[in-house]
Amino acid sequence: MRNKLRAATMAMAAMVFLTACSTGEGNNTTQTAQATVASEAQAATTDADGMYIPETTTENQAAVLAEITSAVESTEKNFSVDNIQARNLVVMDRMGEEHIMGQTQLAFIYALQEMSGGKITADLYLSGEIDVDSTNLPEAYSVISVGRYQLELAEQTGYAKGAVFGLPYVFQSRDHFWAFVDSETGKTVIDEINNGGFACHALAYIEEGARSYFTTAAHPVDSYTDLAGLKLRVQSTDIYNDMVSAIGASPTTMAWSEVYTGLSSGVVDGAENPYTGYDSSMLYEVAPNIYEDEHIWGANLLTVSSSIWDSLNEDEKEMFETASQIASDYNRKHIQEVEAVIKESVAAEHGVTIKTPTSEEKQKLVEMCQPMYEKYAADYLEFIDEIKELAQ
């Protein structure tokens, strides 16, 4: 789907200003955490105070815009709109605009549009329409202007310390992850990426939830020991293969698009993903057991291409940074709401059983995966300790 968010001299369509969020991928959508939805799409215009209101074409877009409008109005703006140049951005994600990642991208673009008075426009490709190799940053960012950088894949794109974020159980919880984000350690990671000569410039942290295991009805899981011997689908990386092997299971590489069929046919007994991916692909239909061990947190960075960043003047850079913080705050707030709705829905409507490991089980899992730290991040063990101390 391609949405051109262009300024238009039209009267503003009726719209309900609300706080809402939904998640989904492909054709499935989890309903918003709050039931109110925008009644109509809205064309770009300006309000009575002269504030630019971007165009929206779906209820989801209108819902995101409503919240971002309020955030922009209350944000201190240390830049001059007169110094903002008109430019069009190409925004890419693979999850869809009703997924939390797509919504976060929308939040960023809407904030830029409003703060620039409509000088910033964007072409949105939020459902994987642009097919680029995310591990080849120069290729990816020669095609797109805005995207997200997965820290767990950062090692493959030249940031060696990125291997740390792909290791299991580095973060203990969501609060731990955001404590890292707010820390000097988290700021240092962004600085290192931005001074590393990469093709993208990191603006702010965002996340899509922790990855946990889920299994078919034939393989209920009460403890991590029940995962031993199972065939678990993983993405094609050495770390994921070793992680599954460490707990006694058999890693099976498979494209995400094939997971539903793989689970329903018995080719694999289980898989792992954040709740958002589990729900959006309707995997509750074929894998109704969740073992919520939260082995890897989906740590991402909202980024712009280095070529775009280098072309910005100081006022424009200030505006981009302000917009990214608004988007990060949106993500931080709504990912928790999204997951709560998914968990309630899959349990109540689809009979999914969610098992949370005891502290003793979690510690045993950490111990089983500990050798991976030396294998993949031997040069960064002190850095890992520094991150883990933030959980205290």
Side-chain angles (χ1 to χ4, degrees), residues 128-222:
E129 299 95 332
I130 296 180
D131 184 17
V132 296
D133 182 359
S134 61
T135 63
N136 185 331
L137 288 186
E139 175 190 349
Y141 286 93
S142 67
V143 176
I144 66 172
S145 306
V146 177
R148 58 183 167 108
Y149 184 44
Q150 291 181 249
L151 276 172
E152 65 179 273
L153 300 179
E155 181 188 25
Q156 300 176 45
T157 60
Y159 182 56
K161 193 183 285 187
V164 167
F165 301 97
L167 292 170
Y169 311 113
V170 170
F171 293 109
Q172 295 181 16
S173 65
R174 171 165 283 119
D175 287 344
H176 184 195
F177 170 72
W178 285 102
F180 160 77
V181 170
D182 295 333
S183 71
E184 288 304 315
T185 304
K187 295 179 178 64
T188 297
V189 168
I190 286 184
D191 289 342
E192 289 174 348
I193 291 172
N194 289 342
N195 293 318
F198 300 112
C200 65
H201 181 90
L203 290 169
Y205 286 98
I206 55 179
E207 56 116 336
E208 58 180 326
R211 307 178 76 95
S212 291
Y213 296 106
F214 43 88
T215 60
T216 61
H219 299 284
V221 178
D222 289 321

XYZ file of all heavy atoms in Angstrom, residues 128-222:
736
model
N 5.962 -3.943 3.841
C 6.976 -4.721 3.151
C 6.988 -4.571 1.648
O 7.580 -5.401 0.948
N 6.359 -3.511 1.117
C 6.324 -3.337 -0.336
C 7.714 -3.098 -0.924
O 7.974 -3.460 -2.074
C 5.416 -2.164 -0.728
C 3.969 -2.312 -0.316
C 3.679 -1.644 1.015
O 4.606 -1.536 1.841
O 2.537 -1.235 1.225
N 8.576 -2.460 -0.150
C 9.949 -2.249 -0.602
C 10.789 -3.413 -0.078
O 10.897 -3.628 1.122
C 10.516 -0.913 -0.098
C 9.724 0.253 -0.707
C 11.993 -0.780 -0.450
C 10.216 1.615 -0.252
N 11.389 -4.143 -0.984
C 12.166 -5.324 -0.615
C 13.649 -5.001 -0.716
O 14.225 -4.967 -1.797
C 11.813 -6.487 -1.548
C 12.522 -7.783 -1.162
O 13.010 -7.857 -0.023
O 12.574 -8.692 -2.006
N 14.245 -4.717 0.424
C 15.676 -4.438 0.464
C 16.312 -5.320 1.513
O 15.647 -5.796 2.434
C 15.978 -2.951 0.782
C 15.461 -2.047 -0.320
C 15.383 -2.544 2.126
N 17.590 -5.556 1.378
C 18.336 -6.376 2.330
C 18.647 -5.526 3.555
O 19.489 -4.631 3.506
C 19.620 -6.884 1.681
C 20.414 -7.797 2.607
O 19.964 -8.017 3.752
O 21.475 -8.284 2.181
N 17.959 -5.814 4.667
C 18.133 -4.990 5.865
C 19.513 -5.136 6.477
O 19.902 -4.342 7.341
C 17.072 -5.358 6.913
O 17.199 -6.706 7.299
N 20.267 -6.150 6.060
C 21.627 -6.284 6.573
C 22.633 -5.543 5.690
O 23.810 -5.492 6.006
C 22.047 -7.764 6.666
O 22.067 -8.337 5.355
C 21.068 -8.533 7.534
N 22.166 -4.973 4.585
C 23.015 -4.179 3.709
C 22.560 -2.735 3.813
O 21.710 -2.269 3.052
C 22.901 -4.686 2.261
C 23.856 -3.967 1.316
O 24.210 -2.804 1.522
N 24.268 -4.652 0.260
N 23.115 -2.012 4.795
C 22.640 -0.656 5.067
C 22.781 0.291 3.882
O 21.860 1.060 3.596
C 23.359 -0.080 6.294
C 22.973 -0.668 7.650
C 23.648 0.109 8.767
C 21.478 -0.679 7.853
N 23.904 0.295 3.169
C 23.994 1.214 2.029
C 22.900 0.968 1.003
O 22.326 1.916 0.451
C 25.389 0.924 1.457
C 26.177 0.433 2.624
C 25.194 -0.377 3.424
N 22.593 -0.309 0.750
C 21.529 -0.612 -0.205
C 20.177 -0.154 0.328
O 19.402 0.497 -0.371
C 21.480 -2.118 -0.485
C 20.314 -2.525 -1.393
C 20.117 -4.028 -1.476
O 21.000 -4.771 -0.999
O 19.082 -4.442 -2.001
N 19.901 -0.492 1.582
C 18.599 -0.158 2.155
C 18.374 1.344 2.179
O 17.319 1.834 1.763
C 18.488 -0.738 3.563
N 19.350 2.088 2.673
C 19.157 3.521 2.847
C 19.463 4.335 1.591
O 19.355 5.553 1.598
C 19.965 4.020 4.048
C 19.321 3.606 5.348
C 19.695 2.435 5.993
C 18.302 4.358 5.911
C 19.080 2.035 7.169
C 17.678 3.975 7.084
C 18.076 2.812 7.713
O 17.449 2.423 8.878
N 19.804 3.671 0.512
C 19.825 4.359 -0.772
C 18.434 4.361 -1.384
O 18.138 5.144 -2.288
C 20.797 3.662 -1.738
O 20.320 2.368 -2.098
N 17.557 3.482 -0.859
C 16.190 3.375 -1.351
C 15.218 4.115 -0.438
O 14.286 4.770 -0.909
C 15.774 1.889 -1.456
C 14.307 1.759 -1.886
C 16.681 1.158 -2.425
N 15.425 4.021 0.872
C 14.492 4.616 1.828
C 15.131 5.787 2.561
O 16.352 5.927 2.610
C 14.006 3.576 2.840
C 15.164 3.103 3.736
C 13.338 2.408 2.147
C 14.734 2.215 4.895
N 14.271 6.639 3.123
C 14.742 7.763 3.934
C 14.610 7.481 5.414
O 15.430 7.916 6.215
C 13.931 9.029 3.603
O 13.935 9.313 2.230
N 13.560 6.751 5.801
C 13.258 6.489 7.203
C 12.960 4.999 7.374
O 12.235 4.405 6.576
C 12.034 7.311 7.669
C 11.675 6.973 9.113
C 12.305 8.801 7.525
N 13.524 4.401 8.410
C 13.262 2.996 8.694
C 13.675 2.693 10.112
O 14.017 3.586 10.886
N 13.649 1.421 10.470
C 14.123 1.050 11.799
C 15.293 0.085 11.681
O 15.381 -0.722 10.771
C 13.003 0.441 12.645
C 12.323 -0.786 12.065
C 11.190 -1.212 12.983
N 10.308 -2.177 12.380
C 10.250 -3.455 12.712
N 11.066 -3.932 13.640
N 9.385 -4.269 12.136
N 16.183 0.236 12.621
C 17.436 -0.512 12.646
C 17.358 -1.494 13.802
O 17.230 -1.085 14.960
C 18.582 0.477 12.828
C 19.983 -0.074 12.782
C 20.373 -0.990 11.820
C 20.942 0.381 13.693
C 21.681 -1.449 11.764
C 22.253 -0.063 13.639
C 22.617 -0.986 12.685
O 23.909 -1.439 12.632
N 17.355 -2.792 13.512
C 17.246 -3.800 14.563
C 18.610 -4.029 15.213
O 19.543 -4.505 14.572
C 16.724 -5.114 13.988
C 15.279 -5.049 13.547
C 14.791 -6.379 13.017
O 14.546 -6.520 11.839
N 14.653 -7.355 13.908
N 18.686 -3.709 16.490
C 19.972 -3.829 17.173
C 20.475 -5.266 17.205
O 21.679 -5.500 17.207
C 19.851 -3.278 18.599
C 20.023 -1.757 18.721
C 19.696 -1.294 20.128
C 21.432 -1.351 18.340
N 19.565 -6.225 17.218
C 20.017 -7.615 17.253
C 20.684 -8.027 15.945
O 21.394 -9.027 15.883
C 18.864 -8.548 17.566
C 17.783 -8.597 16.509
C 16.678 -9.561 16.879
O 16.817 -10.750 16.561
O 15.679 -9.131 17.488
N 20.441 -7.273 14.865
C 21.084 -7.549 13.580
C 22.246 -6.605 13.300
O 22.850 -6.663 12.234
C 20.057 -7.441 12.439
C 18.862 -8.386 12.504
C 17.931 -8.132 11.329
C 19.309 -9.842 12.529
N 22.546 -5.741 14.262
C 23.536 -4.691 14.024
C 24.927 -5.248 13.747
O 25.711 -4.641 13.011
C 23.584 -3.730 15.208
N 25.251 -6.405 14.335
C 26.566 -6.983 14.091
C 26.740 -7.291 12.604
O 27.810 -7.085 12.033
C 26.744 -8.270 14.901
C 28.119 -8.899 14.702
C 28.231 -10.267 15.352
O 27.196 -10.920 15.536
O 29.357 -10.675 15.660
N 25.670 -7.753 11.963
C 25.755 -8.094 10.549
C 25.908 -6.860 9.662
O 26.306 -6.975 8.507
C 24.490 -8.855 10.129
C 24.283 -10.157 10.898
C 22.978 -10.820 10.529
O 22.626 -10.924 9.364
N 22.235 -11.273 11.522
N 25.581 -5.704 10.196
C 25.691 -4.478 9.406
C 26.901 -3.631 9.798
O 27.006 -2.480 9.397
C 24.410 -3.633 9.548
O 24.214 -3.299 10.920
C 23.206 -4.399 9.041
N 27.794 -4.214 10.597
C 29.051 -3.535 10.881
C 29.238 -3.016 12.283
O 30.331 -2.584 12.649
N 28.180 -3.054 13.120
C 28.306 -2.599 14.498
C 28.499 -3.827 15.375
O 27.537 -4.458 15.817
C 27.063 -1.808 14.907
C 27.122 -1.246 16.318
C 28.174 -0.414 16.720
C 26.137 -1.544 17.241
C 28.221 0.099 18.007
C 26.167 -1.033 18.526
C 27.223 -0.212 18.899
O 27.279 0.301 20.186
N 29.743 -4.185 15.620
C 30.070 -5.460 16.268
C 29.404 -5.617 17.630
O 28.976 -6.721 18.010
C 31.587 -5.595 16.405
N 29.277 -4.526 18.365
C 28.663 -4.582 19.690
C 27.187 -4.971 19.596
O 26.576 -5.390 20.594
C 28.811 -3.241 20.404
C 28.479 -3.289 21.888
C 28.568 -1.916 22.530
C 30.006 -1.485 22.737
N 30.092 -0.213 23.511
N 26.616 -4.872 18.422
C 25.218 -5.229 18.243
C 24.928 -6.678 18.581
O 23.777 -7.033 18.872
N 25.931 -7.544 18.545
C 25.728 -8.946 18.890
C 25.145 -9.103 20.291
O 24.390 -10.050 20.566
C 27.051 -9.703 18.792
N 25.473 -8.173 21.168
C 24.977 -8.224 22.545
C 23.453 -8.240 22.570
O 22.828 -8.952 23.366
C 25.523 -7.024 23.349
C 24.785 -6.874 24.678
C 27.021 -7.174 23.576
N 22.819 -7.468 21.687
C 21.363 -7.312 21.736
C 20.625 -8.498 21.129
O 19.407 -8.598 21.243
C 20.968 -6.003 21.046
C 21.591 -4.800 21.688
C 22.758 -4.246 21.169
C 21.051 -4.258 22.831
C 23.352 -3.157 21.774
C 21.636 -3.168 23.456
C 22.799 -2.617 22.920
N 21.354 -9.401 20.498
C 20.757 -10.620 19.996
C 20.888 -11.777 20.956
O 20.297 -12.845 20.734
N 21.648 -11.598 22.028
C 21.852 -12.676 22.997
C 20.648 -12.808 23.924
O 20.040 -11.804 24.315
C 23.105 -12.412 23.819
C 24.425 -12.510 23.059
C 25.579 -11.992 23.918
C 24.693 -13.952 22.626
N 20.299 -14.033 24.286
C 19.132 -14.217 25.155
C 19.382 -13.753 26.582
O 20.480 -13.878 27.114
C 18.901 -15.734 25.118
C 20.217 -16.322 24.707
C 20.873 -15.305 23.830
N 18.336 -13.184 27.161
C 18.266 -12.821 28.574
C 19.240 -11.708 28.973
O 19.613 -11.599 30.142
C 18.450 -14.061 29.460
C 17.577 -15.206 29.028
C 18.125 -16.380 28.503
C 16.181 -15.100 29.102
C 17.310 -17.423 28.075
C 15.370 -16.147 28.671
C 15.935 -17.292 28.157
O 15.132 -18.331 27.720
N 19.621 -10.871 28.022
C 20.397 -9.674 28.374
C 19.505 -8.693 29.131
O 19.919 -8.087 30.118
C 20.989 -9.008 27.115
C 21.588 -7.640 27.449
C 22.052 -9.913 26.490
N 18.259 -8.563 28.659
C 17.279 -7.725 29.351
C 16.309 -8.609 30.112
O 15.827 -9.620 29.598
C 16.509 -6.849 28.362
C 17.350 -5.804 27.691
C 17.669 -5.916 26.342
C 17.831 -4.726 28.400
C 18.450 -4.963 25.714
C 18.609 -3.757 27.788
C 18.925 -3.880 26.438
N 15.997 -8.230 31.348
C 15.128 -9.031 32.202
C 13.650 -8.694 32.037
O 12.789 -9.517 32.336
C 15.523 -8.844 33.667
C 16.913 -9.355 34.001
C 17.254 -9.161 35.464
O 16.374 -8.914 36.301
N 18.528 -9.272 35.799
N 13.371 -7.491 31.567
C 11.985 -7.044 31.493
C 11.902 -5.801 30.629
O 12.924 -5.223 30.227
C 11.461 -6.715 32.904
O 12.180 -5.605 33.428
N 10.678 -5.365 30.371
C 10.474 -4.114 29.634
C 11.043 -2.931 30.413
O 11.676 -2.049 29.847
C 8.985 -3.919 29.341
C 8.659 -2.549 28.779
C 7.272 -2.479 28.169
N 7.274 -3.112 26.859
C 6.535 -4.165 26.535
N 5.740 -4.712 27.443
N 6.584 -4.680 25.320
N 10.799 -2.903 31.708
C 11.345 -1.810 32.517
C 12.866 -1.775 32.422
O 13.470 -0.692 32.392
C 10.919 -1.961 33.976
C 9.454 -1.624 34.191
O 8.846 -0.992 33.305
O 8.907 -2.000 35.252
N 13.480 -2.941 32.395
C 14.932 -3.017 32.268
C 15.383 -2.441 30.929
O 16.343 -1.663 30.862
C 15.381 -4.478 32.407
C 16.862 -4.659 32.384
N 17.456 -5.896 32.199
C 17.894 -3.776 32.482
C 18.767 -5.760 32.220
N 19.060 -4.491 32.374
N 14.684 -2.816 29.842
C 15.054 -2.290 28.533
C 14.976 -0.769 28.502
O 15.899 -0.096 28.041
C 14.141 -2.874 27.444
C 14.309 -2.189 26.112
C 15.444 -2.389 25.344
C 13.349 -1.294 25.648
C 15.625 -1.741 24.136
C 13.510 -0.636 24.437
C 14.657 -0.861 23.678
N 13.888 -0.208 29.022
C 13.740 1.240 28.961
C 14.667 1.947 29.952
O 15.048 3.108 29.728
C 12.278 1.636 29.161
C 11.471 1.340 27.934
C 10.624 0.286 27.739
C 11.472 2.079 26.703
N 10.096 0.335 26.473
C 10.594 1.415 25.814
C 12.130 3.232 26.275
C 10.343 1.876 24.516
C 11.897 3.690 24.984
C 11.021 3.027 24.117
N 15.056 1.265 31.005
C 16.091 1.829 31.885
C 17.407 1.952 31.115
O 18.145 2.933 31.270
C 16.274 0.947 33.119
N 17.703 0.954 30.289
C 18.871 1.035 29.415
C 18.743 2.198 28.446
O 19.681 2.980 28.247
C 19.038 -0.280 28.653
C 19.871 -0.174 27.411
C 21.262 -0.099 27.493
C 19.273 -0.120 26.159
C 22.037 0.025 26.349
C 20.038 -0.007 25.006
C 21.421 0.065 25.102
N 17.576 2.338 27.838
C 17.345 3.432 26.891
C 17.629 4.783 27.535
O 18.258 5.661 26.927
C 15.891 3.391 26.369
C 15.556 4.657 25.575
C 15.663 2.148 25.518
N 17.178 4.952 28.770
C 17.304 6.237 29.464
C 18.684 6.461 30.063
O 18.985 7.559 30.535
C 16.258 6.334 30.583
C 14.835 6.356 30.045
O 14.636 6.799 28.902
O 13.925 5.939 30.786
N 19.525 5.444 30.037
C 20.829 5.532 30.685
C 21.896 6.121 29.768
O 21.713 6.232 28.551
C 21.287 4.136 31.130
O 21.633 3.346 29.986
N 23.018 6.469 30.360
C 24.162 6.931 29.567
C 24.671 5.817 28.664
O 25.168 6.078 27.571
C 25.275 7.429 30.499
C 24.957 8.741 31.182
C 24.625 9.857 30.184
O 25.363 9.982 29.179
O 23.642 10.574 30.404
N 24.535 4.580 29.119
C 24.943 3.441 28.298
C 24.132 3.383 27.012
O 24.672 3.177 25.919
C 24.766 2.129 29.075
O 25.505 2.193 30.297
C 25.246 0.941 28.264
N 22.824 3.574 27.137
C 21.969 3.585 25.960
C 22.298 4.722 25.019
O 22.304 4.551 23.791
N 22.579 5.887 25.576
C 22.940 7.047 24.741
C 24.275 6.808 24.038
O 24.474 7.235 22.889
C 23.000 8.307 25.609
C 21.652 8.723 26.197
C 21.793 9.967 27.067
C 20.440 10.433 27.623
N 19.838 9.464 28.529
N 25.183 6.127 24.707
C 26.485 5.830 24.108
C 26.348 4.937 22.881
O 27.041 5.124 21.877
C 27.410 5.161 25.143
O 27.646 6.074 26.222
C 28.736 4.763 24.515
N 25.448 3.963 22.942
C 25.232 3.081 21.794
C 24.787 3.888 20.579
O 25.293 3.704 19.462
C 24.195 1.992 22.135
C 23.748 1.247 20.879
C 24.771 1.012 23.140
N 23.857 4.807 20.780
C 23.408 5.655 19.669
C 24.560 6.492 19.143
O 24.755 6.624 17.925
C 22.233 6.544 20.107
C 20.962 5.699 20.234
C 22.012 7.686 19.120
C 19.716 6.478 20.562
N 25.350 7.053 20.040
C 26.498 7.866 19.613
C 27.491 7.028 18.808
O 28.035 7.502 17.796
C 27.195 8.471 20.827
C 26.385 9.578 21.494
O 25.465 10.107 20.835
O 26.666 9.895 22.666
N 27.741 5.807 19.246
C 28.690 4.939 18.535
C 28.196 4.612 17.131
O 28.975 4.605 16.168
C 28.914 3.654 19.333
C 29.723 3.878 20.601
C 29.813 2.622 21.463
O 29.066 1.655 21.188
O 30.620 2.610 22.407
N 26.906 4.355 17.009
C 26.341 4.081 15.687
C 26.431 5.317 14.803
O 26.827 5.250 13.634
C 24.888 3.593 15.817
C 24.863 2.197 16.445
C 24.182 3.587 14.453
C 23.483 1.690 16.790
N 26.114 6.469 15.377
C 26.108 7.699 14.581
C 27.502 8.189 14.230
O 27.671 8.980 13.297
C 25.327 8.790 15.314
C 23.832 8.515 15.324
O 23.339 7.716 14.528
N 23.110 9.155 16.217
N 28.500 7.725 14.953
C 29.883 8.095 14.640
C 30.643 6.959 13.958
O 31.859 7.040 13.791
C 30.621 8.500 15.928
C 30.074 9.790 16.517
O 29.798 10.739 15.796
N 29.909 9.825 17.832
N 29.897 5.927 13.553
C 30.546 4.750 12.991
C 30.606 4.713 11.482
O 31.064 3.719 10.910
N 30.116 5.766 10.829
C 30.171 5.795 9.378
C 29.164 4.892 8.697
O 29.375 4.471 7.556
N 28.050 4.609 9.383
C 27.031 3.750 8.791
C 26.133 4.558 7.856
O 26.191 5.782 7.808
C 26.209 3.070 9.881
C 27.033 2.211 10.793
C 27.235 2.557 12.122
C 27.629 1.059 10.305
C 28.006 1.773 12.961
C 28.411 0.264 11.136
C 28.603 0.623 12.467
N 25.260 3.857 7.152
C 24.404 4.518 6.162
C 23.168 5.146 6.787
O 22.397 5.818 6.103
C 23.982 3.528 5.082
N 22.968 4.914 8.098
C 21.809 5.499 8.756
C 22.243 6.281 9.996
O 23.310 6.051 10.556
C 20.794 4.421 9.148
S 21.390 3.264 10.395
N 21.375 7.210 10.394
C 21.590 7.997 11.605
C 20.499 7.635 12.603
O 19.311 7.754 12.301
C 21.532 9.492 11.276
C 21.777 10.376 12.460
N 23.050 10.815 12.809
C 20.931 10.887 13.386
C 22.963 11.569 13.889
N 21.700 11.617 14.264
N 20.899 7.163 13.778
C 19.944 6.735 14.799
C 19.389 7.939 15.547
O 20.133 8.829 15.966
C 20.625 5.780 15.776
N 18.068 7.940 15.742
C 17.409 9.056 16.408
C 16.876 8.685 17.796
O 17.045 9.442 18.743
C 16.253 9.566 15.543
C 16.651 10.282 14.254
C 15.435 10.485 13.370
C 17.310 11.611 14.569
N 16.197 7.550 17.898
C 15.576 7.197 19.183
C 15.307 5.703 19.227
O 15.163 5.047 18.190
C 14.271 7.970 19.378
N 15.211 5.168 20.448
C 14.890 3.755 20.640
C 13.386 3.519 20.526
O 12.563 4.344 20.964
C 15.341 3.284 22.019
C 16.828 3.110 22.168
C 17.611 4.107 22.758
C 17.459 1.950 21.738
C 18.981 3.943 22.917
C 18.823 1.773 21.891
C 19.586 2.782 22.480
O 20.938 2.611 22.628
N 13.029 2.377 19.958
C 11.660 1.888 19.953
C 11.726 0.374 20.166
O 12.789 -0.218 20.032
C 10.919 2.217 18.636
C 11.710 1.691 17.426
C 10.684 3.712 18.511
C 11.048 1.951 16.085
N 10.597 -0.254 20.511
C 10.624 -1.707 20.723
C 9.303 -2.333 20.331
O 8.260 -1.666 20.301
C 10.975 -2.042 22.175
C 10.058 -1.419 23.209
C 9.269 -2.439 24.010
O 9.063 -3.570 23.520
O 8.812 -2.076 25.115
N 9.339 -3.623 20.003
C 8.126 -4.330 19.611
C 7.825 -5.502 20.534
O 7.066 -6.396 20.178
C 8.224 -4.815 18.171
C 9.391 -5.724 17.871
C 9.411 -6.166 16.405
O 8.321 -6.346 15.820
O 10.518 -6.328 15.859
N 8.412 -5.506 21.716
C 8.102 -6.543 22.677
C 9.134 -7.653 22.709
O 9.985 -7.772 21.830
N 9.046 -8.463 23.740
C 9.994 -9.558 23.920
C 9.553 -10.783 23.124
O 8.369 -11.021 22.902
C 10.099 -9.928 25.397
N 10.524 -11.566 22.718
C 10.264 -12.822 22.013
C 10.116 -13.944 23.035
O 10.903 -14.053 23.974
C 11.407 -13.125 21.047
C 11.730 -11.996 20.091
C 12.901 -12.333 19.185
N 12.512 -13.257 18.135
C 12.139 -12.886 16.907
N 12.097 -11.604 16.576
N 11.813 -13.794 15.993
N 9.094 -14.775 22.831
C 8.874 -15.941 23.683
C 8.529 -17.139 22.807
O 8.246 -16.996 21.619
C 7.736 -15.675 24.677
O 8.109 -14.707 25.640
N 8.550 -18.315 23.401
C 8.267 -19.548 22.668
C 6.765 -19.840 22.661
O 6.054 -19.537 23.625
C 9.002 -20.728 23.302
C 10.504 -20.625 23.233
C 11.261 -20.315 24.363
C 11.186 -20.831 22.032
C 12.641 -20.220 24.311
C 12.567 -20.739 21.965
C 13.295 -20.427 23.103
O 14.665 -20.321 23.037
N 6.282 -20.456 21.581
C 4.920 -20.962 21.530
C 4.918 -22.294 20.792
O 5.723 -22.521 19.892
C 3.951 -19.968 20.882
C 4.473 -19.280 19.645
C 4.312 -19.844 18.388
C 5.120 -18.050 19.748
C 4.784 -19.211 17.251
C 5.596 -17.407 18.613
C 5.435 -17.990 17.351
N 4.009 -23.178 21.190
C 4.023 -24.547 20.668
C 2.618 -24.999 20.275
O 1.609 -24.408 20.679
C 4.585 -25.520 21.718
O 3.749 -25.477 22.889
C 6.007 -25.156 22.100
N 2.562 -26.077 19.513
C 1.295 -26.633 19.054
C 0.546 -27.310 20.195
O 1.108 -27.568 21.266
C 1.534 -27.651 17.928
O 2.341 -28.731 18.434
C 2.248 -27.009 16.740
N -0.718 -27.626 19.935
C -1.559 -28.259 20.957
C -1.001 -29.599 21.411
O -1.207 -30.020 22.553
C -2.975 -28.436 20.414
N -0.272 -30.274 20.520
C 0.290 -31.595 20.855
C 1.463 -31.495 21.815
O 1.913 -32.513 22.361
C 0.728 -32.317 19.578
N 1.948 -30.273 22.037
C 3.152 -30.094 22.872
C 2.950 -28.974 23.898
O 3.557 -27.911 23.808
C 4.355 -29.789 21.984
C 4.680 -30.871 21.015
N 5.309 -32.034 21.373
C 4.427 -30.979 19.676
C 5.458 -32.817 20.316
N 4.935 -32.200 19.270
N 2.099 -29.190 24.888
C 1.924 -28.180 25.943
C 3.225 -27.986 26.717
O 4.035 -28.910 26.840
C 0.833 -28.786 26.828
C 0.891 -30.257 26.558
C 1.291 -30.399 25.124
N 3.421 -26.783 27.211
C 4.665 -26.443 27.903
C 4.351 -25.917 29.300
O 3.734 -24.872 29.456
C 5.478 -25.389 27.117
C 6.750 -25.023 27.885
C 5.836 -25.916 25.732
N 4.777 -26.659 30.298
C 4.659 -26.202 31.677
C 5.995 -25.681 32.201
O 6.034 -24.928 33.171
C 4.180 -27.344 32.578
C 2.720 -27.697 32.325
O 1.929 -26.767 32.105
O 2.390 -28.891 32.336
